[in-house]
Amino acid sequence: MESLGPPDAAAMRAYADELRDMFRRIQDDGMELHARAREVQVTEKSRDGLVSVTVGARGELVRLDLDPRIYRRPDARHLADSITETTRRATARARERVTEIFEPVIPRAEFEAHLDGDVEAAMARLADRMEGRA
């Protein structure tokens, strides 16, 4: 992350104003948004319909249902892959729903960087915004 020169004071003020407004929106709406996000649950079915997975807001497994027809073709590897793939799809949908809930107060890219634990991307966006490049 290179700086091309001294930060633009006007851009920094504008970004500070934006952060202050974002903080106020989070203060005003944050508890309600947090409660809505915590309630997120997503259910996905496997492509063959034999596996049903429900995950919570963080992708944690809430429920796993297996159709008894899975025993007609005992294939542990296929079953494990089906559960894993279905869980991944459910987790991606849950993450998308949580992102949508917070989008009115936190820009999508910043929220996604936070969810990914991508400190480098978050810091690069911060620097760009402070220097008026974004």
Side-chain angles (χ1 to χ4, degrees):
M1 180 169 62
E2 292 180 27
S3 179
L4 299 175
D8 177 8
M12 288 180 71
R13 270 194 299 280
Y15 186 53
D17 290 342
E18 184 181 333
L19 286 175
R20 185 181 59 246
D21 292 343
M22 183 189 311
F23 180 72
R24 285 186 182 140
R25 286 192 311 268
I26 291 171
Q27 275 185 310
D28 293 344
D29 302 333
M31 295 307 287
E32 177 196 340
L33 296 176
H34 181 69
R36 285 180 46 209
R38 286 178 54 128
E39 293 174 0
V40 167
Q41 286 194 355
V42 172
T43 301
E44 280 285 326
K45 281 195 171 273
S46 62
R47 301 201 192 287
D48 61 9
L50 300 179
V51 175
S52 176
V53 173
T54 301
V55 299
R58 295 181 178 180
E60 71 278 9
L61 186 62
V62 173
R63 184 178 174 97
L64 172 64
D65 291 306
L66 303 174
D67 188 298
R69 292 177 294 161
I70 64 167
Y71 299 111
R72 291 182 187 161
R73 194 180 104 202
D75 181 349
R77 179 75 270 148
H78 174 75
L79 178 59
D81 290 345
S82 182
I83 291 169
T84 301
E85 190 266 333
T86 305
T87 302
R88 282 187 187 135
R89 285 190 293 114
T91 299
R93 280 191 46 221
R95 176 188 164 128
E96 179 61 27
R97 284 196 187 162
V98 170
T99 301
E100 288 170 357
I101 289 169
F102 282 99
E103 198 166 20
V105 295
I106 302 172
R108 177 177 282 270
E110 289 180 24
F111 191 73
E112 288 174 344
H114 170 73
L115 289 177
D116 291 340
D118 190 350
V119 176
E120 186 175 324
M123 295 305 290
R125 286 186 51 79
L126 175 64
D128 286 347
R129 292 176 80 177
M130 285 178 59
E131 295 176 9
R133 294 190 304 248

